[in-house]
């Protein structure tokens, strides 16, 4: 708030002084500035201590060898070289990227379809509840349930075996199927969140735009591809960034669903790799280097997505 | 764990909240007046209902399966082929799961951690959000940009130094490591609260400031009460995120009596293997059902908060 917007105050009062009283106003402003610092202090200190300090420490540790017990020694870029040539890290990188590349488009595509269908209905509370239930549930419970569903004597395997006359697949023991299982669970558990966000986005589209297109003779398909999808694109873009970043951080599901990123590291992800190096093998330096590589990957992918934004994201004129 | 919203101009969030308020309200979607083809529309709606109901049932099938399996005894689980319904229905797995692991204690831990994190975050984030939105002080822009930048650093990247720092503080195997950092360092919450403050009319505070009220007074008795919808949304998001957090409790806690619900569930599985999976499913049910019930009760608020924030609690 600016002093000039408050003209009626008397400088003698303790509140905001009139603009005509420069000295009192300066004093008030000084006191007010102090309040500004007081108000941001808890979060600023928190950010500094719990995020910035660990972040700088990660940058430093990435260039050191340390197990937490013996003295720390500097190794330059060795940790990065170790990681970039480590087949396990390569595997984690490929798996993580595969999960992201598979789950994000499929997950968002399904969510758009469901959201568009839901928008056409007058009553949707029940469906929203059904789709959102997995979002509420802890990823550990989700992983434990699906672990049992993917058993060879489970419904999924038996259905496939019966339908294609093949032996019942052992999802979580087969390296390829295990990664697919991780993707399925990831899509299932996050679908409802994107549906809710997209539905809100669809309801934000002003009815007059749809009406105008309809008067111009647009059918349901044209309405979807020419109006709804373009106007929803900012929301889809934002969700895709969030979904991509969170799939780069896949940990809970591979930790529990396939028990320690098995079989034979077929579902090892970068975060599991970091966890394993840091807390399994107490190689804090190498683990920090892997962390920095994850950060770089995250930033690069986000930057690429922002590059794509120019071509595919359409912002409604004048809309917020 | 998130990026700043693209082109999010001041006050956008308020607009989003208003429009999402109608999210679960029936009959609020746009219907142009008297369009031709009423029967055709009705047929389309019926088909949509059927398809969505089937898809919705597929979505909750894992939960239904979890529940029925939890009621199956070991003899039935080993019997091939397995029938879907328990025969006989027996609650023994629930009794065993509850007795074999301290689920009551885990619930108490999870609840009190979530409450403290929520209260702490609401206070500190609304204070910072208010200051960034309304108070002019040197460096506020730089600080705010810094806040947005730190949002880009995933918690997984700083996990190891964070653990080492907690060890220095003596907070390993203590709930402090889960509560204090979460309540004091949440850039997303600050950003969200700033947006909500910006959507309030300035006039509310101006009169009070002119009358001589200090910033704290204005914040506490004028801004906070008007922020209630925003605080509610933030509380739900933070509570859910805290409740379902797994990696941090896994790294920080060793003593079973300190475990949160997801962590206890995971350790329970590790302990009992996968032979008696009826027991494992009973444990999963014990861990999930209260959350699902809470969701059904607060469904509207939860969905609206998620839509308003645009990204949920991750």
């Amino acid at each position: 708030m600016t002093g000039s917007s408050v003209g009626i105050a008397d400088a003698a009062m303790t509140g905001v002084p009139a603009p005509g009283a420069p000295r009192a106003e300066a004093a008030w402003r000084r006191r007010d500035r102090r309040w500004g610092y007081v108000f941001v202090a808890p979060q600023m200190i928190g950010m500094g201590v719990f995020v910035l300090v660990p972040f700088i420490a990660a940058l430093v540790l990435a260039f050191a060898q340390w197990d937490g017990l013996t003295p720390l020694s500097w190794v330059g870029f060795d940790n990065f070289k170790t990681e970039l040539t480590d087949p396990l890290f390569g595997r984690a990188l490929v798996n993580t990227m595969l999960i992201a590349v598979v789950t994000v488009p499929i997950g968002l595509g399904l969510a758009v379809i469901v959201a568009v269908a839901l928008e056409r209905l007058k009553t949707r509370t029940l469906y929203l509840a059904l789709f959102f239930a997995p979002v509420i549930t802890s990823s550990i419970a989700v992983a434990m349930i699906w672990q049992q569903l993917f058993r060879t004597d489970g419904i999924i395997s038996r259905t496939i075996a019966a339908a294609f006359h093949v032996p019942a697949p052992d999802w979580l023991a087969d390296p390829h199927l295990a990664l697919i299982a991780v993707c399925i669970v990831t899509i299932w558990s996050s679908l409802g969140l994107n549906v809710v966000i997209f539905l809100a986005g669809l309801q934000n589209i002003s009815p007059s735009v749809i009406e105008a297109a309809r008067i111009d003779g647009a059918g349901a398909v044209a309405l979807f591809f020419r109006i709804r999808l373009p106007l929803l694109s900012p929301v889809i873009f934002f969700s895709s960034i969030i979904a991509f970043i969170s799939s780069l951080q896949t940990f809970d599901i591979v930790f529990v669903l396939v028990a320690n990123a098995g079989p034979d590291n077929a579902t090892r992800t970068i975060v599991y790799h970091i966890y394993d190096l840091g807390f399994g093998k107490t190689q804090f330096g190498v683990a920090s280097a892997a962390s920095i590589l994850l950060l770089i990957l995250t930033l690069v992918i986000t930057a690429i997505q922002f590059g794509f934004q120019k071509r595919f994201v359409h912002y409604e004129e004048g809309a917020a | 764990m998130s990026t700043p919203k693209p082109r999010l101009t001041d006050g956008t969030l308020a607009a989003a909240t208003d429009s999402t308020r109608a999210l679960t309200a029936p009959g609020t979607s746009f219907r142009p007046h008297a369009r031709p083809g009423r029967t055709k529309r009705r047929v389309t709606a019926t088909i949509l209902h059927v398809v969505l109901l089937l898809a919705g049932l597929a979505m909750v099938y894992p939960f239904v399966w979890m529940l029925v399996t939890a009621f199956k005894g070991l003899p039935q689980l080993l019997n091939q082929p397995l029938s879907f319904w328990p025969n006989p229905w027996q609650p023994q797995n629930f009794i065993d799961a509850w007795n074999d692991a301290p689920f009551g204690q885990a619930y108490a831990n999870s609840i009190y951690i979530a409450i403290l994190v929520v209260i702490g975050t609401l206070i500190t984030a609304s204070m910072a959000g208010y200051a960034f939105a309304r108070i002019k002080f040197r460096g506020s822009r730089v600080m705010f940009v810094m806040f947005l930048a730190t949002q880009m650093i995933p918690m997984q990247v700083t996990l190891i130094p964070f653990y080492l720092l907690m060890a220095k503080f003596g907070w390993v195997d203590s709930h402090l490591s889960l509560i204090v950092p979460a309540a004091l360092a949440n850039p997303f919450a600050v950003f969200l609260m700033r947006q909500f403050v910006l959507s309030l009319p300035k006039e509310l505070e101006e009169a009070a400031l002119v009358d001589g009220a200090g910033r704290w007074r204005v914040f506490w008795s004028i801004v906070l009460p008007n922020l209630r919808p925003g605080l509610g949304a933030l509380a739900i998001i933070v509570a859910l995120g805290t409740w379902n957090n797994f990696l941090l409790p896994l790294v920080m806690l060793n003593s079973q009596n300190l475990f949160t619900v997801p962590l206890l569930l995971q350790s329970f599985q590790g302990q009992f293997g996968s032979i008696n999976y009826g027991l494992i499913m009973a444990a999963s049910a014990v861990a999930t059902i209260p959350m699902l019930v809470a969701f059904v009760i607060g469904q509207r608020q939860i969905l609206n908060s998620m839509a308003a924030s645009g990204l949920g609690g991750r």
Side-chain angles (χ1 to χ4, degrees):
Chain A
M1 75 181 322
T2 57
S4 54
S5 69
V6 195
I8 42 159
D10 183 354
M13 291 166 78
T14 40
V16 185
R23 188 173 298 175
E25 181 172 337
W28 185 86
R29 231 153 260 307
R30 219 171 18 249
R31 254 182 295 131
D32 200 42
R33 213 178 292 147
R34 239 174 275 153
W35 274 115
Y37 296 119
V38 170
F39 273 54
V40 296
Q43 282 282 333
M44 281 312 278
I45 294 169
M47 283 315 289
V49 174
F50 300 117
V51 180
L52 278 184
V53 166
F55 177 61
I56 293 164
L59 286 176
V60 173
L61 269 179
F63 296 95
Q65 196 174 45
W66 198 39
D67 60 4
L69 300 169
T70 51
L72 182 146
S73 65
W74 299 104
V75 294
F77 280 93
D78 280 5
N79 289 334
F80 289 97
K81 277 181 212 151
T82 309
E83 276 310 281
L84 290 172
T85 52
D86 179 3
L88 272 185
F89 179 78
R91 208 151 184 192
L93 184 66
V94 170
N95 288 340
T96 307
M97 290 306 292
L98 276 176
I99 294 171
V101 167
V102 170
T103 60
V104 174
I106 296 180
L108 295 188
L110 286 175
V112 170
I113 294 170
V114 175
V116 169
L118 281 176
E119 208 225 349
R120 296 184 64 122
L121 298 178
K122 285 184 179 160
T123 48
R124 46 178 162 252
T125 317
L126 172 70
Y127 303 123
L128 277 174
L130 295 180
F131 279 94
F132 205 75
V135 182
I136 298 292
T137 314
S138 113
S139 51
I140 300 311
V142 161
M144 282 172 60
I145 298 167
W146 278 92
Q147 185 179 48
Q148 303 306 329
L149 283 175
F150 278 124
R151 292 165 64 100
T152 42
D153 59 353
I155 179 171
I156 304 170
S157 293
R158 276 190 293 142
T159 310
I160 291 174
F164 300 102
H165 303 288
V166 290
D170 193 353
W171 287 84
L172 303 178
D174 181 313
H176 299 291
L177 292 180
L179 201 59
I180 296 175
V182 170
C183 291
I184 292 173
V185 177
T186 304
I187 293 170
W188 176 82
S189 60
S190 61
L191 184 62
L193 183 64
N194 291 320
V195 167
V196 167
I197 291 166
F198 291 168
L199 186 57
L202 284 172
Q203 290 176 326
N204 249 355
I205 297 173
S206 62
S208 56
V209 177
I210 307 249
E211 182 73 333
R214 219 172 243 146
I215 288 169
D216 288 347
V221 177
L223 270 176
F224 176 72
F225 283 104
R226 295 282 179 79
I227 308 288
R228 289 206 172 89
L229 207 55
L231 290 183
L232 194 60
S233 60
V235 182
I236 298 176
F237 167 68
F238 181 62
S239 293
S240 76
I241 289 187
I242 300 298
F244 225 102
I245 292 178
S246 70
S247 63
L248 291 183
Q249 297 163 357
T250 304
F251 175 80
D252 301 10
I253 289 176
V254 297
F255 188 71
V256 173
L257 178 75
V258 278
N260 294 313
D264 188 27
N265 290 309
T267 59
R268 175 177 278 251
T269 60
I270 299 181
V271 173
Y272 182 85
H273 186 69
I274 295 170
Y275 171 83
D276 185 34
L277 285 175
F279 300 98
K281 301 173 180 148
T282 59
Q283 297 178 353
F284 295 137
V286 193
S288 295
S291 307
I292 301 304
L293 291 173
L294 170 66
L295 180 66
I296 293 170
L297 183 71
T298 308
L299 295 179
V300 167
I301 286 176
T302 309
I304 292 172
Q305 280 177 300
F306 267 96
F308 267 111
Q309 178 199 15
K310 277 198 194 107
R311 291 176 57 188
F312 297 108
V313 179
H314 176 94
Y315 291 103
E316 194 176 357
E317 286 305 313
Chain B
M1 244 155 288
S2 61
T3 48
K5 293 192 180 192
R7 261 202 59 185
L8 198 92
T9 46
D10 296 345
T12 310
L13 211 96
T17 337
D18 281 338
S19 71
T20 53
R21 211 158 274 160
L23 201 65
T24 55
T28 44
S29 68
F30 172 68
R31 286 282 171 275
H33 38 278
R35 255 199 307 141
R38 186 178 284 259
T39 16
K40 195 183 153 202
R41 253 190 303 147
R42 223 170 253 167
V43 171
T44 321
T46 312
I47 294 171
L48 276 180
H49 273 296
V50 172
V51 172
L52 281 169
L53 197 63
L54 287 176
L57 289 178
M59 288 299 288
V60 288
Y61 176 83
F63 294 114
V64 176
W65 185 86
M66 164 189 82
L67 208 54
V68 293
T69 306
F71 281 102
K72 289 175 186 168
L74 204 49
Q76 198 195 350
L77 290 173
L78 298 173
N79 185 18
Q80 295 289 345
L82 202 60
S83 62
F84 181 77
W85 296 110
N87 182 29
W89 287 73
Q90 52 107 347
Q92 192 56 43
N93 287 328
F94 289 93
I95 298 163
D96 290 348
W98 189 267
N99 287 338
D100 289 347
F103 277 102
Q105 171 86 58
Y107 263 107
N109 293 339
S110 277
I111 289 171
Y112 106 87
I113 291 172
I115 288 176
L116 288 183
V117 171
V118 166
I119 293 174
T121 309
L122 289 191
I123 294 174
T124 61
S126 59
M127 280 168 62
Y130 175 66
F132 282 132
R134 290 291 157 85
I135 304 177
K136 286 208 166 125
F137 58 99
R138 222 166 281 147
S140 74
R141 279 191 155 257
V142 178
M143 285 187 201
F144 188 64
V145 170
M146 224 182 75
F147 258 93
L148 294 186
T150 49
Q151 251 184 313
M152 288 297 294
I153 307 171
M155 156 263 173
Q156 288 83 349
V157 169
T158 55
L159 183 66
I160 283 155
F162 181 82
Y163 172 84
L164 298 171
L165 185 74
M166 291 298 109
K168 270 248 150 48
F169 282 16
W171 289 0
V172 171
D173 208 24
S174 150
H175 286 155
L176 285 174
S177 60
L178 304 181
I179 296 168
V180 179
L184 291 187
N186 189 339
F188 165 73
V190 174
F191 180 71
L192 193 71
M193 292 326 287
R194 174 178 168 271
Q195 295 303 116
F196 275 110
V197 173
L198 285 172
S199 71
L200 297 179
K202 267 188 182 179
E203 290 74 23
L204 276 178
E205 304 150 58
E206 268 170 10
L209 283 170
V210 168
D211 286 348
R215 280 291 181 185
W216 181 258
R217 180 79 194 280
V218 168
F219 170 73
W220 193 256
S221 31
I222 296 173
V223 176
L224 268 193
N226 282 293
L227 274 182
R228 222 172 279 154
L231 292 171
L234 182 60
I236 287 170
I237 294 162
V238 172
L240 261 178
T242 311
W243 188 276
N244 288 335
N245 194 356
F246 175 67
L247 183 53
L248 218 50
L250 173 74
V251 167
M252 290 300 163
L253 305 178
N254 306 315
S255 318
Q256 203 190 35
N257 64 329
L258 295 179
F259 280 9
T260 58
V261 175
L263 191 55
L264 183 68
L265 187 60
Q266 186 269 331
S267 78
F268 184 82
Q269 184 207 30
Q271 237 174 302
F272 291 91
S274 60
I275 297 162
N276 187 355
Y277 58 97
L279 181 65
I280 301 290
M281 287 303 100
S284 303
V286 168
T288 11
I289 303 291
M291 284 304 286
L292 291 176
V293 171
F295 165 59
V296 170
I297 294 169
Q299 191 193 5
R300 229 176 118 169
Q301 282 72 23
I302 292 171
L303 292 179
N304 287 342
S305 309
M306 291 296 162
S309 76
L311 54 114
R314 310 164 194 202

